[in-house]
Amino acid sequence: MSKIETIGIVGAGQMGGGIAHVSALGGYKVLIHDVSPDRIEKGIATISGNMARQVGSGKLEEKARNDAMARISAAPAMADLAAADLVIEAATEDETVKRKIYAQLCPQLNPEAILATNTSSISITRLAAQTDRPERFIGIHFMNPVPVMKLVELVRGIATEDQTFEAAKGYVKHLDKTITVSEDFPAFIVNRILLPMINEAIYTLYEGVGTVDAIDTAMRLGANHPMGPLQLADFIGLDTCLSIMQVLHEGLSDSKYRPCPLLVKYVEAGWLGRKTGRGFYDYRGDQPVPTR
Ligand SMILES: NC(=O)c1ccc[n+]([C@@H]2O[C@H](COP(=O)([O-])OP(=O)(O)OC[C@H]3O[C@@H](n4cnc5c(N)ncnc54)[C@H](O)[C@@H]3O)[C@@H](O)[C@H]2O)c1
């Protein structure tokens, strides 16, 4: 495998944008693909705004921002990702969506390219089996927001070769992130522990034990969490939270992972958290307002 110089990203949402952001600042060329040119443009504009904030707070030089932005290009067609040495899929947390992407993407890629997924929970082995390169497939699980969070979980599928693992490690280390290695079990380490806690917070709301404000304040001041679990759920995206709970519930066949019906209802309503302007808080005004 030749050196990793160009990163392809599928999905220009919260995570794809964040991965593009840190990769471009790390000196990699970045190609971003999404379902439409509009989404790609919006993703690139968000990266630009986030880097501008870093410049404003003195964390980044203006020149470094300009250089990094110049390394990012739109890839409106999947074929535009042919130049990538490593492609990271950061599309919606839905196995059917990811499978369809791999079916279209694999024939377009350099046969030597590594394909990674940023999935929060889905089996790496099962996803790898949908590709033409299970030995060059790996989970590179960044945390949200990517520019701020230090951790990246690396997850090997059963067929992942050592060379692929070492190349992924080299890329993540170059971004100055800390790696933990997780075995390929539903939701890996971070979300296996975090999401049942968030789901329980939603049950606490559902059963009327406390209001949104009471639950979040209790966990911030009583358990010293930097943000409350409901605020964090809105931040992750309630659709992503629900998908992870479904993967845990199905994958481990244990009723303790049953998604809270209130979480299901919010997702059905399209109240997905910050990204849609409403979740457990309403984000449409100047300040987030608890909705219950
Ligand atoms: N949100 C988090 O906190 C978090 C943290 C770690 C990992 N993840 C994982 O990262 C992935 C993306 O999550 P997100 O929060 O960025 O979601 P998001 O909803 O912000 O973005 C998903 C993007 O994928 C795009 N997409 C959907 N179908 C596509 C297709 N067929 N081709 C190309 N693009 C497509 C959507 O248009 C959207 O822009 C998921 O697998 C999620 O589990 C999320």
Side-chain angles (χ1 to χ4, degrees):
M1 161 82 220
S2 55
K3 206 164 158 258
I4 293 176
E5 290 176 348
T6 302
I7 311 293
I9 297 174
V10 179
Q14 311 189 89
M15 295 307 292
I19 297 165
H21 179 134
V22 297
S23 298
L25 283 179
Y28 295 99
K29 276 186 239 153
V30 176
L31 302 166
I32 308 191
H33 174 78
D34 205 302
V35 287
S36 68
D38 285 4
R39 290 227 178 158
I40 301 173
E41 260 171 48
K42 196 171 156 231
I44 294 178
T46 303
I47 299 167
S48 177
N50 289 343
M51 283 193 195
R53 263 214 311 281
Q54 287 181 305
V55 172
S57 62
K59 290 187 185 127
L60 187 66
E61 297 283 329
E62 182 69 42
K63 181 174 180 327
R65 175 196 176 207
N66 294 339
D67 291 350
M69 286 309 300
R71 286 187 207 107
I72 301 178
S73 320
M78 274 195 179
D80 299 333
L81 299 177
D85 307 304
L86 165 65
V87 174
I88 304 175
E89 170 275 305
T92 312
E93 186 73 345
D94 179 326
E95 194 164 335
T96 313
V97 169
K98 292 186 189 294
R99 281 173 184 235
K100 278 191 193 147
I101 289 173
Y102 303 150
Q104 290 169 11
L105 179 65
C106 286
Q108 314 286 342
L109 296 183
N110 176 344
E112 294 298 310
I114 293 176
L115 180 54
T117 175
N118 188 49
T119 180
S120 301
S121 59
I122 303 168
S123 161
I124 303 303
T125 299
R126 209 165 58 231
L127 290 176
Q130 301 305 312
T131 75
D132 60 354
R133 61 194 74 207
E135 64 289 347
R136 282 192 303 288
F137 190 92
I138 189 162
I140 305 183
H141 181 213
F142 286 88
M143 307 293 136
N144 185 20
V146 182
V148 176
M149 300 296 278
K150 278 298 277 181
L151 187 78
V152 174
E153 278 183 304
L154 286 186
V155 191
R156 300 175 72 149
I158 199 165
T160 309
E161 277 176 352
D162 289 348
Q163 248 187 325
T164 304
F165 181 61
E166 291 305 324
K169 253 166 78 178
Y171 160 68
V172 174
K173 279 191 182 158
H174 185 79
L175 300 178
D176 201 23
K177 302 282 186 199
T178 301
I179 295 170
T180 52
V181 178
S182 312
E183 289 300 319
D184 188 16
F185 280 88
F188 321 124
I189 296 175
V190 173
N191 287 327
R192 169 80 176 262
I193 299 169
L194 181 64
L195 261 294
M197 194 266 304
I198 287 176
N199 195 47
E200 200 60 29
I202 303 170
Y203 269 114
T204 311
L205 179 69
Y206 179 61
E207 290 169 11
V209 182
T211 61
V212 169
D213 184 49
I215 293 164
D216 276 354
T217 303
M219 293 306 285
R220 272 193 294 108
L221 304 185
N224 215 13
H225 288 197
M227 67 168 74
L230 300 173
Q231 188 190 0
L232 180 56
D234 275 0
F235 196 66
I236 293 169
L238 301 188
D239 53 340
T240 302
C241 291
L242 177 58
S243 296
I244 297 170
M245 287 312 299
Q246 285 165 336
V247 168
L248 280 167
H249 194 214
E250 284 160 25
L252 298 168
S253 303
D254 190 329
S255 63
K256 76 177 176 184
Y257 299 113
R258 187 171 74 102
C260 178
L262 187 62
L263 174 61
V264 176
K265 198 175 270 189
Y266 271 47
V267 172
E268 285 173 352
W271 297 350
L272 307 184
R274 276 170 48 128
K275 64 185 171 186
T276 57
R278 185 180 172 142
F280 293 110
Y281 293 82
D282 188 332
Y283 298 92
R284 288 169 293 184
D286 290 341
Q287 292 293 325
V289 180
T291 54
R292 279 170 182 254

